[in-house]
Amino acid sequence: MTTTDQMQKKPLWLEIEENLLELNPGELSGQAKETAIQKIIGDLDNAGFNVSKSGGKIMQLRWAMDDMLEVGRPLMKDFNDAISALSLEDVLDPYSATTKLIDNIGATWKEFWKVERRPDIIRIVEETRLDLLVKKAKELSENESIRYLILEQVEREVIVNKLGITEEKLAGVEAQIAKEKAEKKRVAKLLEKVAGKSEEEKVKHLITNNVAEELIIEMAEVDQVAINNAKKAMEEEIKEKQRLAEEAAAKKKAEAAGPSLEDITSDDMIDHIDAIREIMEFSEVEKEIRTMCEQSSIPQCLVDIAVSDPDKLDELEKKAEG
C-alpha cells in the first residue's frame, strides 16, 4: 500500500457531522433546533452541496441531528476521540483498523455501519497513519527519517513536503537503499553456493567475499561469536599456508643453490670449476657470471667463490685432483 496525502472533497455525511460537532445538544430544543438546521443548510450550500434544493439531503441532515440529540453528543466527538487514540501499531493495516473502528463506533451510531461511508473512514485512517509515520520519522536523524518513510512506501512527493527536504537528498537515500538491496542480492547468491555447509564454512565464505559483518549476521543468521570464531580459524589457516609457503620457498632456494662444498664429488668439482672458468672468459660482470652459472646448474657455493675469491678455485681444483 502506498501512502499519500492527497486530500479529497469531504462527503456530505462527514460535512454534516462536522457542522453538528460545533453545536451543544443541550441547547437544541424547539426553535433553536430549527434555527441550527437552517444555518447548517446555508453553510452546506456555501460549501457546494446544494442541500436546500434536495429534500433527501435535508432529511439526511435532520436524521443526523436527531441521532445526536438521542445519544446526547455529536458522532464526531466519538469518532475524533477514537482517531486520536490510535497508535501507529493500530493503523499499520488501515483496513483492519477501519473495521475495528466501525465496529466500536457503530455500536452507538448505527448510521456509521453504512457501506458507502467505509471508503471515507478508510481514507481518514490512512491519513492518520501518514501523520503518525511522519511524527515517528521526525524523531530520527534526517537520513534515517527519509529511509523510514521510503520503506513504509510513502510517496516521494509526500516525503519531500512532510520532511522539508530536497529531491536531491531523497534521491541520495534512495540510491543508498538500492545499493543495499543489490548487496543483499549478491549475498543471497553467495549463500546459495554454500548451502548445506557448516555455519563456519558459510561465514568464512562471506568474509572472503568482503561481506560486512552486520549483513553476515542478518542473512546467514549467525551471531558475533560465530564470526569471531570463523575469523580466528581463517587467521590460523593463513598462518599455516604462510608457513608451508616459506618452507616450499626455502626448499626451492636450496635446490636452486645446489649442494654445499662438502657434498660435491671430486669429479663434479673439477667439471664445475672448468665451466666457471669458461664463463668468466666471456664476462667479468658479476650479474652476468651468476646468470650463466645458474643456467649451467653450477652450485651456488662455487659461484659465490668465483665472484668473490676466484683464486680459491685453484685450491679447490688441486684438492679435487688429489
Side-chain angles (χ1 to χ4, degrees):
M1 179 189 68
T2 300
T3 300
T4 73
D5 63 351
Q6 293 179 345
M7 297 299 294
Q8 301 177 3
K9 182 179 178 181
K10 290 180 183 178
L12 177 59
W13 76 268
L14 187 58
E15 194 73 37
I16 288 174
E17 296 297 346
E18 289 187 347
N19 273 273
L20 293 177
L21 180 61
E22 299 176 4
L23 303 178
N24 182 351
E27 298 176 354
L28 297 177
S29 61
Q31 186 58 40
K33 173 183 176 182
E34 188 60 32
T35 300
I37 289 176
Q38 293 305 317
K39 180 180 183 304
I40 293 174
I41 290 175
D43 291 341
L44 293 174
D45 282 351
N46 292 334
F49 288 97
N50 298 320
V51 174
S52 61
K53 297 180 181 180
S54 170
K57 292 179 180 179
I58 292 175
M59 291 308 300
Q60 184 177 342
L61 169 58
R62 290 185 180 279
W63 289 331
M65 173 80 79
D66 290 341
D67 289 342
M68 179 186 72
L69 295 175
E70 181 180 346
V71 174
R73 61 183 180 275
L75 180 154
M76 286 306 294
K77 182 179 186 308
D78 289 356
F79 187 41
N80 289 340
D81 288 347
I83 290 293
S84 298
L86 292 173
S87 67
L88 182 55
E89 290 69 24
D90 294 329
V91 293
L92 290 178
D93 180 352
Y95 299 97
S96 175
T98 297
T99 298
K100 292 179 181 178
L101 198 63
I102 291 174
D103 288 344
N104 292 336
I105 296 178
T108 301
W109 304 91
K110 303 304 180 184
E111 291 292 308
F112 211 67
W113 287 93
K114 287 186 175 181
V115 175
E116 60 268 24
R117 295 190 178 188
R118 183 178 178 86
D120 303 318
I121 300 170
I122 290 175
R123 176 179 54 80
I124 294 171
V125 172
E126 288 180 333
E127 291 171 356
T128 301
R129 176 178 181 271
L130 176 59
D131 291 340
L132 291 170
L133 287 173
V134 172
K135 179 181 178 182
K136 181 174 180 179
K138 289 183 175 180
E139 295 173 355
L140 307 173
S141 65
E142 185 176 64
N143 280 4
E144 287 305 312
S145 66
I146 297 170
R147 174 186 295 270
Y148 175 71
L149 294 183
I150 289 174
L151 296 179
E152 288 294 337
Q153 299 183 322
V154 177
E155 287 191 351
R156 300 182 83 256
E157 183 180 354
V158 178
I159 295 175
V160 170
N161 292 336
K162 293 292 186 179
L163 297 183
I165 60 172
T166 63
E167 285 280 350
E168 291 74 17
K169 184 66 177 179
L170 175 58
V173 177
E174 288 174 328
Q176 181 60 35
I177 292 175
K179 182 178 179 181
E180 292 168 3
K181 288 181 177 179
E183 175 63 2
K184 285 189 175 183
K185 186 176 181 180
R186 181 181 78 91
V187 174
K189 290 183 178 180
L190 290 173
L191 286 171
E192 288 178 3
K193 294 181 180 180
V194 288
K197 300 290 185 179
S198 69
E199 181 181 90
E200 183 175 291
E201 288 176 294
K202 290 179 181 179
V203 175
K204 286 181 180 178
H205 183 60
L206 296 181
I207 292 175
T208 301
N209 284 277
N210 301 316
V211 178
E213 291 187 7
E214 183 178 343
L215 198 51
I216 294 176
I217 292 173
E218 176 186 343
M219 297 194 66
E221 298 181 346
V222 298
D223 56 20
Q224 188 63 49
V225 174
I227 293 177
N228 294 342
N229 290 340
K231 289 171 71 175
K232 183 178 180 181
M234 291 174 71
E235 289 174 1
E236 292 173 353
E237 290 171 4
I238 291 173
K239 289 179 181 179
E240 179 61 14
K241 287 181 180 179
Q242 184 176 354
R243 185 186 68 79
L244 293 174
E246 290 173 351
E247 286 185 356
K251 182 179 180 181
K252 183 177 181 180
K253 182 178 180 181
E255 291 174 350
S260 61
L261 283 176
E262 295 76 14
D263 295 330
I264 301 174
T265 64
S266 296
D267 291 341
D268 287 343
M269 180 70 76
I270 293 172
D271 291 339
H272 289 322
I273 291 174
D274 288 341
I276 290 172
R277 285 176 176 154
E278 288 181 8
I279 289 171
M280 294 180 73
E281 289 178 2
F282 285 102
S283 177
E284 295 181 353
V285 179
E286 179 178 342
K287 184 177 181 180
E288 293 177 353
I289 292 172
R290 286 185 179 279
T291 299
M292 287 186 283
C293 286
E294 182 179 343
Q295 292 171 348
S296 299
S297 300
I298 296 173
Q300 186 68 47
C301 57
L302 288 177
V303 178
D304 291 340
I305 291 172
V307 298
S308 61
D309 188 7
D311 292 338
K312 191 173 181 179
L313 293 176
D314 294 335
E315 297 178 14
L316 294 173
E317 185 178 36
K318 288 179 182 179
K319 183 177 179 181
E321 291 174 345

